[in-house]
Amino acid sequence: MDLYILGIGGTFMGHLALLAKQLGFNVSGCDHNVYSPMREMLQENHIQYDEGYSIEHLKDSHKLYVVGNAISRGNPMIEAILNQRKPYTSGPAWLREHLLQNKHVIAVAGTHGKTTTTSMVTWILKQLDYKPGYLIGGAAKGFERAADIGDSDYFVIEADEYDTAFFDKRSKFIHYMPETLILNNLEFDHADIFDSIEDIKKTMHHLVRTVPSQGLVITPAADAHLTSVLEKGCWSRQCKLTFDTTASDSQLSLDGHALNEEASEIEITSRENGKEQKAVLKWNLIGQHNLANATAALAAVMNIGITLADAVNALSTFGGVSRRMDLRFQFDNINVYDDFAHHPTAITLSLKALRAKVGREKIIALIEPRSNTMTMGVHQNQLLEAVQGADEVYWLKHPRLSFDLEALCSGLKKTRVFNTAEEMLEHVLSLHATDERNAVHWLCMSNGAFGGFFDLLKARQLETAS
């Protein structure tokens, strides 16, 4: 069968194209301005795509059109597909029908940590030769690709709460039919899609309703919002995750306990029906948020029969995910990190993790409030509290920003707002001259390209070297 994917340059739809090709479909598509790394992924896998959404791209040979959620009514191809009554579906619906239907699906949902936890689960299964299929929304280190059909009954998927398509406004994850479901955490986000935290809790409960009674729902015991979701009804087995405490009311629980301040050594305790197992995870990742991600991932793989000891041994070799406290540059006394944090909680946790690692050394936070929720100003009142862990804070102003960032930050010491990445880079480099002997850490936080900041810095380093 021929598939034509509208929005093929997006992370989800591009990797769906890869999965479809592995399944034997003839795959092509279209998009506007396909950027790296998706451009290279499509080219390397010989997946052709057209530029733009002209109706000239409609061909009789295309048996089915798969429509990405970025495509809206008014798009010329959508209007032609509807008018000509051509068959179409959504990416998640196609994935369910052609790949997930007969799999044990391990789905990872929640506000924070989805990509990292999905990668951890997949890594453990791959290391132990389970040959899982998977679809990850980011670039996990040590993986050849972010999606693969695998060669087993297991499929691991990052379960996104964004809507499915212009004709299906339910969250994508409603289509995934998980047998093992991780709900990492729940906060208000995606204000462009959801009206309130109650709105998100409602869609999360729709997901919980799809888990079979023999399946497992994994949640942190202390997350009040997720507790509220499960109180609406849960017909599946439950595993409670705790951190330095014991979930005494649970038949199955895992506790993650940091053995050092930066959480690079973690003691994991599993309790099930009165039986207890312990193991110590030593790895290169840091932070309480990664402790939580690891505990959830371990619970998920133990649900399919992997022992705690084997799972911890496999996870100890996990290298992390790109753009999650990713050390991009080191020069002179400066360490430059790239981090995906784009929510006040994520900013707080990233700064806390780095502080635990570097102690009293200077941390300069460079932040681009860029997500739809951030630019709408929904989280503006939490921003100043979120950056308290930094010594200095500099902001890159996004064109869509709807609130006065300068006025908001006027109460902070050692802060400034920049309109371009070039201006920001010049400023932080000028600070270097006054701090030559002491280690300094630049923590760059954005869910986008950060105005080309890293390309500019790389060019500057090459220029200096020459």
Side-chain angles (χ1 to χ4, degrees), residues 107-169:
V108 183
T111 308
H112 311 294
K114 291 187 293 293
T115 300
T116 301
T117 307
T118 307
S119 301
M120 288 178 181
V121 173
T122 306
W123 181 265
I124 294 169
L125 296 181
K126 285 170 68 69
Q127 293 301 299
L128 297 176
D129 204 31
Y130 274 69
K131 298 180 174 63
Y134 58 90
L135 176 55
I136 304 171
K141 297 175 182 177
F143 287 66
E144 291 184 8
R145 58 183 68 90
D148 197 286
I149 61 172
D151 187 23
S152 74
D153 293 332
Y154 299 102
F155 197 94
V156 190
I157 189 165
E158 182 172 336
D160 185 357
E161 65 267 39
Y162 257 91
D163 58 353
T164 297
F166 75 88
F167 53 88
D168 183 354
K169 305 313 288 183

Side-chain angles (χ1 to χ4, degrees), residues 114-362:
K114 291 187 293 293
T115 300
T116 301
T117 307
T118 307
S119 301
M120 288 178 181
V121 173
T122 306
W123 181 265
I124 294 169
L125 296 181
K126 285 170 68 69
Q127 293 301 299
L128 297 176
D129 204 31
Y130 274 69
K131 298 180 174 63
Y134 58 90
L135 176 55
I136 304 171
K141 297 175 182 177
F143 287 66
E144 291 184 8
R145 58 183 68 90
D148 197 286
I149 61 172
D151 187 23
S152 74
D153 293 332
Y154 299 102
F155 197 94
V156 190
I157 189 165
E158 182 172 336
D160 185 357
E161 65 267 39
Y162 257 91
D163 58 353
T164 297
F166 75 88
F167 53 88
D168 183 354
K169 305 313 288 183
R170 296 173 299 171
S171 293
K172 289 195 195 79
F173 55 44
I174 295 300
H175 295 273
Y176 295 160
M177 305 181 300
E179 191 164 337
T180 301
L181 172 63
I182 295 173
L183 299 176
N184 266 343
N185 40 64
L186 184 56
E187 292 191 85
F188 183 63
D189 200 7
H190 306 313
D192 53 325
I193 301 292
F194 300 105
D195 294 329
S196 65
I197 187 66
E198 294 302 320
D199 199 15
I200 303 178
K201 285 160 68 173
K202 183 178 180 179
T203 198
M204 283 290 179
H205 191 244
H206 289 166
L207 175 60
V208 169
R209 285 175 174 270
T210 68
V211 182
S213 58
Q214 66 182 9
L216 181 69
V217 178
I218 301 165
T219 60
D223 191 305
H225 289 314
L226 287 178
T227 298
S228 174
V229 168
L230 295 182
E231 286 174 349
K232 296 175 183 292
C234 181
W235 299 266
S236 312
R237 297 158 47 237
Q238 295 186 44
C239 175
K240 295 296 183 181
L241 307 177
T242 59
F243 310 101
D244 303 334
T245 58
T246 300
S248 58
D249 61 338
S250 298
Q251 285 189 318
L252 174 61
S253 68
L254 262 74
D255 178 67
H257 173 73
L259 298 177
N260 57 12
E261 188 174 0
E262 62 187 36
S264 61
E265 292 189 24
I266 303 166
E267 182 179 71
I268 304 292
T269 304
S270 167
R271 300 180 179 90
E272 183 172 12
N273 298 324
K275 296 181 180 179
E276 186 174 283
Q277 300 180 59
K278 286 183 180 289
V280 174
L281 171 63
K282 297 181 180 180
W283 61 351
N284 292 324
L285 273 64
I286 61 173
Q288 290 289 325
H289 57 301
N290 279 319
L291 180 156
N293 295 336
T295 307
L298 292 167
V301 299
M302 290 177 69
N303 185 46
I304 63 172
I306 295 174
T307 66
L308 178 61
D310 285 346
V312 165
N313 186 55
L315 189 56
S316 67
T317 62
F318 178 66
V321 177
S322 295
R323 303 206 64 198
R324 272 66 175 179
M325 198 67 70
D326 211 357
L327 183 59
R328 291 282 298 273
F329 294 93
Q330 286 181 295
F331 60 96
D332 300 333
N333 62 324
I334 297 175
N335 300 295
V336 184
Y337 301 86
D338 184 6
D339 197 81
F340 196 67
H342 58 278
H343 182 285
T345 297
I347 292 170
T348 299
L349 291 172
S350 290
L351 284 168
K352 185 177 180 180
L354 185 57
R355 178 62 68 197
K357 179 179 179 180
V358 306
R360 299 179 66 182
E361 295 172 355
K362 180 181 286 187

